[in-house]
Amino acid sequence: MYAVLDIESTGGKYNEEGIMEIAIYRFDGHAVTDQFISLINPEKEIQPFVVKLTGINAKMLRTAPKFHEVAKRIVEITDGATLVAHNAQFDYRILRTEFRRLGYNFQRKTLCTVDLSKQLMPEAESHSLGKLVRSLGIPVSDRHRANGDAQATLKLFKLLLQKDTNKDILKSVVRSETLGELSPTQLDIVENLPSETGVYYMHDKKGNIIFIGKTKNIKKRVNQHFTNVSELAKKLQKETKNVTFEKTGSELVALLKEYNELKKNRPVYNKKTSTGYSHGIFMYTDESGLNVLKPERANGQPNRLSSFSSLKASKNFVEKVSSEVALDPTEDPTVHNNKILELFKKYSIDKRNLILLDRGRELGEQSAVLIKNGNVSGIAFTELNHQINNLNVLENIAVPVKSDKETVLITESYLRKKNRLKIIELD
């Protein structure tokens, strides 16, 4: 659990500032579950440069509650949560100072989105909140006001959680919450999981990831792990002390995320990952100028219609698409060749630059898989059209994917099974 916050202070000397506005969003890693936003009467003078920067003046704060009147609410909304802020050390110090004045020792774990963004996005020109979110296409309103900056920090933190493919953030938080055995039963763990598409992570008592899986129904799949009688299930039942998850909306994104994170984290109970495709369907042009499709072993040759893990599978798919589009070598060569080229647009990423759009994690959001020169290069979640239309912004918000034969096989296999993907050509 996280409490994403921003504080506007009066300025002044170190440890003499007062809080004049605060915004806190309680965030469970997926959705906001509570929020608290309030002006606060700091009972001290506001520095002129702060008035100019924030637009908050003494008159606005005259009838606002004093800190001791909102202190209980702040304790409640941050209880059991890790504080998340941009320059968290500053906000946490001011909060502790205010509570110390009341004789209360306020202590919480903290995460700083400045430090996290430097770690996960080292290539960014600036790690200041305003410039960073602007480069990522994240909309910001009421800049230098607590609510506006807290909302921007929340959106940034969601993106950083996505980019943290090693799951260092999750592991550290789970570790801090798991001091020994978890009190909830496995039924309680399952009850708190969503019945949605995504990737799930099973942790031991130290927070280490011991198993990663992808599924169309996270709750159902984890419940199966806890009720099956296989040797793997028994080990997971014994050692799993917490389960975290990421909703993806898109099954393709779940497949790609699972594969990439298995390679990075190498959980002890996952089997060895696949080595990718070995065969494909390739297009050749015969002496009469007719395009011909041939299933054969992949040896780096161009014009691959799709990738497969066996020769039999590639032969079966040639037969399927041939009957599907009524391929007939005796028909007009132009018509025949165009039919084959249309198949390439539908089933192949070979040497192409594309964006594959699919459903997102929630209403109004889309997932985007970036393809560069036939390789999967990144995954992003977008809410705004300009994030899709501006390739630089899309690449900034995307989580990089290390492409290999397996990511190509995953993507082209998905294209063969699903027709709802929207394909945008970048050339």
Side-chain angles (χ1 to χ4, degrees), residues 387-411:
Q387 290 177 317
I388 298 169
N389 297 332
N390 187 322
L391 188 57
N392 287 335
V393 169
L394 191 58
E395 288 178 330
N396 280 337
I397 66 174
V399 177
V401 172
K402 192 171 182 180
S403 191
D404 57 20
K405 283 190 171 184
E406 181 64 16
T407 56
V408 171
L409 178 62
I410 288 169
T411 305

Side-chain angles (χ1 to χ4, degrees), residues 196-396:
E196 296 181 43
T197 301
V199 180
Y200 58 93
Y201 310 86
M202 305 183 87
H203 302 259
D204 64 14
K205 64 183 178 182
K206 293 182 179 178
N208 298 319
I209 298 171
I210 57 174
F211 188 84
I212 297 176
K214 57 88 186 57
T215 176
K216 290 183 181 179
N217 187 324
I218 296 171
K219 183 192 288 281
K220 181 179 178 181
R221 186 71 190 98
V222 173
N223 186 60
Q224 288 171 343
H225 286 306
F226 285 157
T227 55
N228 285 350
V229 293
S230 68
E231 287 304 310
L232 172 62
K234 288 176 182 176
K235 290 173 183 176
L236 293 176
Q237 289 160 21
K238 182 180 179 181
E239 296 186 38
T240 300
K241 302 305 175 189
N242 198 1
V243 178
T244 59
F245 62 91
E246 284 187 43
K247 293 189 287 186
T248 61
S250 163
E251 188 184 354
L252 174 58
V253 172
L255 288 161
L256 291 169
K257 284 184 74 66
E258 179 204 35
Y259 172 68
N260 271 268
E261 291 177 8
L262 282 174
K263 285 204 303 180
K264 284 197 171 189
N265 292 280
R266 301 190 180 282
V268 64
Y269 291 127
N270 281 96
K271 292 180 181 178
K272 203 171 181 181
T273 52
S274 167
T275 55
Y277 68 89
S278 56
H279 292 75
I281 299 170
F282 297 90
M283 183 181 76
Y284 299 95
T285 305
D286 67 13
E287 294 177 355
S288 62
L290 207 64
N291 288 341
V292 179
L293 295 175
K294 289 185 179 180
E296 56 189 32
R297 179 169 286 280
N299 292 309
Q301 63 267 50
N303 299 326
R304 186 189 68 248
L305 172 58
S306 204
S307 52
F308 300 84
S309 56
S310 70
L311 181 61
K312 183 180 179 181
S314 57
K315 283 181 177 178
N316 289 342
F317 193 69
V318 167
E319 292 175 7
K320 177 178 179 288
V321 295
S322 295
S323 60
E324 209 175 73
V325 298
L327 285 182
D328 181 2
T330 63
E331 69 185 340
D332 180 274
T334 302
V335 174
H336 175 86
N337 288 351
N338 283 342
K339 283 182 179 179
I340 289 182
L341 293 177
E342 286 301 314
L343 291 175
F344 273 78
K345 290 182 180 179
K346 191 174 181 181
Y347 298 118
S348 175
I349 66 171
D350 186 44
K351 302 291 189 293
R352 297 172 74 190
N353 296 302
L354 307 167
I355 300 173
L356 306 180
L357 293 179
D358 201 356
R359 65 180 60 173
R361 299 162 296 187
E362 54 196 34
L363 195 64
E365 183 181 72
Q366 295 182 95
S367 63
V369 176
L370 278 69
I371 311 292
K372 280 191 169 182
N373 195 29
N375 293 305
V376 181
S377 67
I379 296 167
F381 292 100
T382 70
E383 295 178 359
L384 306 169
N385 283 332
H386 80 81
Q387 290 177 317
I388 298 169
N389 297 332
N390 187 322
L391 188 57
N392 287 335
V393 169
L394 191 58
E395 288 178 330
N396 280 337

Side-chain angles (χ1 to χ4, degrees), residues 5-23:
L5 78 154
D6 186 80
I7 288 170
E8 299 300 330
S9 71
T10 57
K13 294 179 182 178
Y14 181 84
N15 269 7
E16 292 183 5
E17 313 99 322
I19 296 175
M20 61 179 189
E21 188 176 35
I22 190 167

Side-chain angles (χ1 to χ4, degrees), residues 86-97:
H86 210 69
N87 193 6
Q89 186 179 5
F90 175 80
D91 292 60
Y92 186 48
R93 174 177 60 78
I94 291 180
L95 262 182
R96 280 178 58 81
T97 299

Side-chain angles (χ1 to χ4, degrees), residues 27 38 80 102 122 148 154 188 220 229 319 362:
F27 176 60
S38 180
L102 300 178
L154 175 61
D188 293 328
K220 181 179 178 181
V229 293
E319 292 175 7
E362 54 196 34

